[in-house]
Amino acid sequence: MSDKSNAFGAPDTGHVWDDNLRELTNQPPKWWMLGMHASWILVVLYTILYPAWPTLTSHTKGVLGWTSIGEYKESLAAIEEVRGKYESRLPGMSAAAILADNELNNYVQRSAKVLFGDNCAACHGAGGQGNPGYPVLADDDWLYGGDINAIMASVTNGRKGNMPAHSGTLSAQELDNVAKHVQALSQGSEYAPGKEVFMGKGACFACHGPEGKGMAALGAANLTDAIWRFGDGDLDSIKYTIAHGVNAPNNPQTRNADMPAWKDRLTETEIKKLAVYVHQLGGGQ
């Protein structure tokens, strides 16, 4: 080790690189030493105040008695206190009354978003945009009606689509014709050979109406609005639905449309919140 001073005014250890870079033996700056001592003092204080060191069976508790669970419970209690003035009013109100109360409606819109994400988004999408085979909730098309009471009934009791399969009653040509008519209805026109099947042998008008406007009481789709539950309105998809139906018995190729009832899974208040939230998603009726 060299004890000779150099241009830096401090002895070096003799470790020199390229004649310019050398390891010195001078002390660190005072500010650095103060920072180092402050650091270990803070560590000691922290381990005294808060849980820190493991023991054979548990850990040190700290003189403040702080725990992350305790902090969580305090925060939750503060949130519940804020929510309480709204939540206490909901059980005695109908969904329609909640809609009419701007303050409660705003609160429900925010609190129900979590409920929707936990229970509905898997099928209907996080924003109600739907998924293949599942209805869009963010438009103004309602299979069973879009008023708040109809939505309440849908969420409470569930819905099961029902359309008979026509593959055994209509010929291939008749299926093709009626599918073309349904497609034409969505485009604001008609297809005469298919309309004949629609109004006659296929008896499609019985559920969808002579003009194809649908019937909410049966959950029969409006065929004139170009909104499609299955597929995107292409002829093959329409023909498949007509041929195999929806939840048609004894037809393994049938379309499936089954929404579970939530009355045994959610509270009445939670169902009201969801109904109000869904009503607002699609603009309601």
Side-chain angles (χ1 to χ4, degrees):
M1 178 183 293
S2 171
D3 61 357
K4 295 179 180 179
S5 296
N6 47 50
F8 297 99
D12 62 56
T13 63
H15 299 159
V16 180
W17 298 268
D18 295 333
D19 293 328
N20 293 313
L21 183 62
R22 58 185 65 226
E23 185 178 4
L24 305 180
T25 61
N26 59 312
Q27 291 295 313
K30 192 174 215 179
W31 65 264
W32 191 93
M33 293 298 295
L34 290 172
M36 183 192 73
H37 292 303
S39 298
W40 70 258
I41 291 171
L42 286 174
V43 168
V44 171
L45 286 174
Y46 182 91
T47 59
I48 293 172
L49 296 173
Y50 295 97
W53 301 109
T55 64
L56 289 176
T57 58
S58 182
H59 55 79
T60 57
K61 308 299 182 184
V63 298
L64 295 181
W66 178 93
T67 65
S68 57
I69 293 297
E71 184 175 354
Y72 159 75
K73 289 181 177 179
E74 288 177 7
S75 299
L76 183 61
I79 293 172
E80 293 297 341
E81 184 178 357
V82 174
R83 291 175 175 170
K85 65 178 182 179
Y86 303 109
E87 292 289 339
S88 62
R89 296 171 58 193
L90 295 178
M93 298 182 69
S94 67
I98 294 171
L99 274 175
D101 187 311
N102 287 334
E103 186 179 23
L104 269 182
N105 190 7
N106 288 334
Y107 167 74
V108 166
Q109 290 302 315
R110 287 162 175 77
S111 63
K113 187 174 183 179
V114 176
L115 272 175
F116 187 89
D118 289 343
N119 299 284
C120 312
C123 295
H124 295 289
Q129 75 274 17
N131 280 311
Y134 298 96
V136 174
L137 302 180
D139 59 19
D140 59 356
D141 180 64
W142 303 92
L143 284 174
Y144 296 92
D147 66 87
I148 189 63
N149 292 324
I151 296 172
M152 272 288 294
S154 294
V155 179
T156 302
N157 301 311
R159 297 290 188 182
K160 190 175 182 69
N162 181 27
M163 174 178 166
H166 289 86
S167 56
T169 57
L170 299 179
S171 68
Q173 185 61 59
E174 288 170 330
L175 284 171
D176 188 70
N177 287 344
V178 74
K180 287 179 179 178
H181 178 61
V182 169
Q183 188 178 56
L185 284 174
S186 71
Q187 298 167 353
S189 61
E190 297 179 348
Y191 181 69
K195 184 176 182 179
E196 182 178 345
V197 179
F198 188 91
M199 298 296 293
K201 187 176 179 181
C204 309
F205 73 94
C207 295
H208 296 285
E211 298 179 351
K213 297 290 186 180
M215 192 179 301
L218 299 176
N222 182 348
L223 304 178
T224 67
D225 58 11
I227 296 175
W228 305 96
R229 171 76 178 272
F230 304 102
D232 57 2
D234 61 286
L235 193 62
D236 288 340
S237 182
I238 297 171
K239 192 187 303 183
Y240 185 98
T241 302
I242 297 171
H244 302 292
V246 178
N247 293 329
N250 304 316
N251 190 316
Q253 295 175 284
T254 191
R255 302 285 198 187
N256 294 311
D258 194 355
M259 173 182 166
W262 293 93
K263 60 185 176 183
D264 297 325
R265 310 185 193 197
L266 299 175
T267 66
E268 183 180 354
T269 296
E270 288 172 329
I271 289 174
K272 283 189 285 191
K273 284 184 176 182
L274 281 174
V276 170
Y277 183 78
V278 171
H279 183 273
Q280 297 294 95
L281 275 178
Q285 285 182 350

